Amino acid sequence: MQSLQVARNCRRAVDPTPELRDFDALTGLAVRNFFRQRLEQQWDICRQGHRHLGLILIDFDKLSSFRANNHKHTVGAALADAAEVVRLACRRRADLAGRVRSGEFAVLLSDVDCDGTRMMAERIRRDVAELAISRGGDPQGGILTVTAGAICVVPPASHFPHTLMIACDHVLRDAKDEGGNCIGVRCSL
């Protein structure tokens, strides 16, 4: 993560391009608007080519316990560390990780089937848990974990890209209802 920050600072000094506003300063992941633009582009590409498009939403379990105990520096460090895990999981050039809400990340996977999307979601969940980020002030203790909701489809012409986000959000909420630190996957809208 440090090398990414150094590269950004050097680039900013030489050429303060508008692309820098497309990435979150804390996490280094794409910001919500840039992520949504890429989702729309990939939706069209995958729909026209009849290829799979996967989306994973990643939500931190009990992140509010950090905030409730005024450990804001811990929240930022935890988000940055977890973002690095998510970023490193995106190994292909077409993969994109983004910060779509305050405590929620997303991964866009084009041309990856349902099994590949499931494996990516599980890898991220496992790797964040392996960071063993302490909850600090959480009275129940433990480590920070994430829950992921994933969906993978060949985009139908009868739907729009935001339909994928909405469906994936439902899968994530269902997984959260299971108790957290798990993944939920659906292979249809």
Side-chain angles (χ1 to χ4, degrees):
M1 183 69 177
Q2 195 171 11
S3 61
L4 177 65
Q5 198 63 32
V6 170
R8 281 201 183 125
N9 290 338
C10 290
R11 170 109 185 196
R12 209 173 280 136
V14 175
D15 180 21
T17 58
E19 291 101 28
L20 293 175
R21 71 172 175 242
D22 294 336
F23 295 90
D24 180 63
L26 175 66
T27 64
L29 303 181
V31 296
R32 182 184 178 112
N33 287 339
F34 183 69
F35 188 86
R36 284 187 177 251
Q37 288 171 358
R38 183 68 68 82
L39 171 62
E40 290 171 6
Q41 291 169 351
Q42 291 301 315
W43 178 273
D44 288 338
I45 291 168
C46 289
R47 182 179 51 79
Q48 291 169 4
H50 303 286
R51 298 188 334 228
H52 286 93
L53 182 63
L55 177 66
I56 303 169
L57 290 178
I58 303 150
D59 190 48
F60 292 87
D61 299 326
K62 301 179 184 174
L63 187 62
S64 60
S65 66
F66 282 98
R67 292 190 181 112
N69 292 294
N70 295 322
H71 288 29
K72 290 188 179 181
H73 65 281
T74 304
V75 172
L79 288 174
D81 289 346
E84 182 71 2
V85 166
V86 173
R87 188 184 65 73
L88 290 173
C90 296
R91 296 178 180 151
R92 299 175 319 137
R93 188 179 185 111
D95 299 344
L96 179 67
R99 185 176 182 188
V100 294
R101 294 187 187 118
S102 176
E104 192 170 280
F105 298 158
V107 175
L108 185 61
L109 305 166
S110 63
D111 209 17
V112 173
D113 65 9
C114 202
D115 288 336
T117 303
R118 178 189 327 272
M119 288 183 344
M120 172 74 90
E122 179 56 32
R123 179 184 322 132
I124 291 170
R125 187 207 59 77
R126 183 194 65 231
D127 290 353
V128 168
E130 286 177 0
L131 286 175
I133 300 170
S134 172
R135 289 188 185 280
D138 185 353
Q140 294 177 338
I143 60 170
L144 185 66
T145 58
V146 296
T147 298
I151 191 163
C152 184
V153 298
V154 174
S158 61
H159 289 79
F160 296 99
H162 71 274
T163 309
L164 191 65
M165 286 288 282
I166 292 168
C168 195
D169 196 50
H170 287 292
V171 174
L172 174 63
R173 297 301 153 221
D174 289 345
K176 292 289 271 187
D177 289 345
E178 296 293 320
N181 193 21
C182 64
I183 64 167
V185 181
R186 198 164 83 194
C187 299
S188 66
L189 289 174

